Amino acid sequence: MQRVIDLTESADLLRRDPHPVYARLRDQGPVHRVRLATPGGEWETWLVVGYAEARAALADHRLAKDIAKAGGVPMDEQLIGKYLLVADPPQHTRLRGLVARAFTMRRVEQLRPRIRQITGGLLDGMLPHGRADLIDSLAYPLPITVICELLGVPEMDRAEFREISTEVVAPTDADTEYAAIVRLAEYLTGLIEDKRRAGPTDDLLSDLIRTTDEDGDRLSARELRGMAFLLLVAGHETTVNLIGNGVLALLTHPDQLAALRADMTLLGAAVEETLRWEGPVENATYRYAAEPLEIAGTDIAQGDDVLIGLTAAQRDGARYADPDRFDIRRDTRGHLAFGHGIHYCLGAPLARLEARIAIGTLLERAPGLALDGEPGEWLPGVLMRGVRSLPVRW
């Protein structure tokens, strides 16, 4: 049995700047048995930190997403229902097929004018003040507004929802995480019932309620709630961090910011380099060994859980030269920010579109954009990578 590397003593550093910790681990090998500090207490797991090994593991069918294959039941599945991140084929294939019918590239592209309109309105309200918290003023309200309109979620208490959602993906402790999931489950149950009673409308949630495949298959009530949970939470949390991390990276690398301002055709590349250099998801959600397997010469026992380090893999010098350098002209092809394989992020096109519009419009309208103090604390936990606040001025 491989020795356990205790990372609980590095918990603060992992939160603030995990890259040196991951670099030391990569120097020792691509796969490690580690002990982490989690909201529920200390936890031992396998952590994959090498790029090649992470990419292969993301597509390895022996690493299941359904914890039942390891003898457990996830809390969120019990309370919310089955959804893509906790399902394997053939169930995953069926669920994704039903969702993909409504969540199409055409629907995303149709959102472009509305995303521009929302961004413009947010900047109209922000720019006259001369300074702001970019997370509160742009990075959060843009994607939450877009995903709520896309799903057909009525105007809600955005501050309350932000608190609930953040607690689900970056919990401070096990009790508050449980309470947040319960509150979200209750909200979604009521929302879906209201939708059913109101009849069909032109939004994604209504599409999911009535969508069927060729065999007449349809999402069950629990599957529908699980899908709404995934799209609503994952559909905005990751984009909040992508926008925030992208602006922070540019403002702390003035040469790259100047290069982008001189040639805005580099905007797409700047977003891709942000995804590689400081992507919004630090580790993919847990996978479970459905059978004994080996990763880079390391034996993984059946039932063991495995964390695939996206942040760690994307700073692997074996894949990207000078990986700690933020370079918007870099060839970022093959980055793992949206995953790889059958669980590749369904919302990747929407996240990219929102980030390009948000960052591009911000730079055009705020030519003197600069940091206005230190960024807020980084989110807790091992899933998300982003700051709670980003003070800027212009």
Side-chain angles (χ1 to χ4, degrees), residues 22-344:
Y22 292 144
R24 288 195 295 271
L25 290 175
R26 280 196 308 271
D27 287 344
Q28 299 171 46
V31 184
H32 300 279
R33 187 73 178 169
V34 299
R35 183 179 298 113
L36 298 169
T38 72
E42 295 183 2
W43 185 258
E44 287 188 13
T45 186
W46 293 103
L47 177 63
V48 182
V49 294
Y51 174 88
E53 295 76 15
R55 183 178 173 88
L58 287 168
D60 194 329
H61 70 276
R62 299 170 299 175
L63 291 173
K65 298 304 295 282
D66 188 345
I67 196 175
K69 295 180 179 177
V73 178
M75 176 176 64
D76 52 354
E77 185 183 333
Q78 286 179 305
L79 297 173
I80 297 286
K82 202 73 170 179
Y83 56 95
L84 290 172
L85 289 183
V86 293
D88 299 307
Q91 188 174 33
H92 174 272
T93 308
R94 170 183 162 267
L95 290 175
R96 188 164 178 126
L98 289 171
V99 177
R101 289 176 170 274
F103 204 79
T104 63
M105 284 290 293
R106 178 184 61 83
R107 187 185 289 268
V108 169
E109 187 55 37
Q110 287 175 344
L111 289 170
R112 181 184 294 273
R114 179 60 179 144
I115 294 172
R116 289 192 179 280
Q117 183 182 34
I118 296 168
T119 301
L122 291 169
L123 292 178
D124 287 344
M126 183 183 95
L127 291 175
H129 298 287
R131 56 175 17 112
D133 173 5
L134 193 76
I135 304 299
D136 282 345
S137 299
L138 179 64
Y140 173 74
L142 172 61
I144 191 61
T145 301
V146 171
I147 199 64
C148 284
E149 291 186 359
L150 179 62
L151 281 170
V153 176
E155 188 72 24
M156 65 173 84
D157 185 333
R158 297 285 166 81
E160 181 185 13
F161 180 76
R162 182 180 180 185
E163 176 188 333
I164 296 171
S165 178
T166 303
E167 196 58 46
V168 169
V169 300
T172 51
D173 60 63
D175 289 340
T176 54
E177 179 185 17
Y178 181 86
I181 293 176
V182 169
R183 288 166 69 193
L184 195 52
E186 291 172 348
Y187 172 78
L188 292 174
T189 298
L191 175 64
I192 291 167
E193 285 307 308
D194 289 345
K195 285 275 182 191
R196 289 191 190 278
R197 285 194 295 267
T201 52
D202 186 25
D203 59 69
L204 180 53
L205 195 52
S206 289
D207 280 356
L208 292 176
I209 288 171
R210 65 178 183 265
T211 193
T212 57
D213 69 6
E214 290 81 355
D215 300 321
D217 193 10
R218 172 185 300 270
L219 292 168
S220 71
R222 284 180 59 79
E223 289 170 340
L224 187 58
R225 187 172 62 184
M227 200 58 65
F229 164 78
L230 177 64
L231 294 175
L232 190 57
V233 174
H236 86 275
E237 283 284 357
T238 51
T239 309
V240 173
N241 295 333
L242 174 55
I243 294 170
N245 293 356
V247 173
L248 179 58
L250 288 166
L251 294 183
T252 52
H253 295 81
D255 60 324
Q256 299 301 302
L257 177 58
L260 178 56
R261 286 193 179 282
D263 182 4
M264 289 299 287
T265 65
L266 292 170
L267 180 60
V271 170
E272 296 306 306
E273 175 66 343
T274 298
L275 286 162
R276 182 205 69 85
W277 190 77
E278 196 77 275
V281 181
E282 185 167 345
N283 296 285
T285 52
Y286 279 105
R287 282 161 166 79
Y288 309 94
E291 60 185 77
L293 69 143
E294 183 181 290
I295 302 177
T298 299
D299 292 325
I300 311 295
Q302 183 173 359
D304 281 359
D305 48 74
V306 178
L307 268 183
I308 301 174
L310 307 181
T311 290
Q314 300 193 126
R315 297 284 189 106
D316 188 344
R319 176 61 181 85
Y320 296 105
D322 197 5
D324 291 325
R325 180 167 55 91
F326 180 71
D327 179 5
I328 65 172
R329 292 188 174 88
R330 180 193 300 276
D331 182 354
T332 59
R333 283 178 294 183
H335 74 66
L336 303 176
F338 292 118
H340 176 62
I342 64 169
H343 290 282
Y344 184 83

Side-chain angles (χ1 to χ4, degrees), residues 353-368:
L353 180 61
E354 289 178 305
R356 289 170 184 169
I357 290 175
I359 295 173
T361 308
L362 174 66
L363 294 181
E364 289 169 4
R365 295 188 57 183

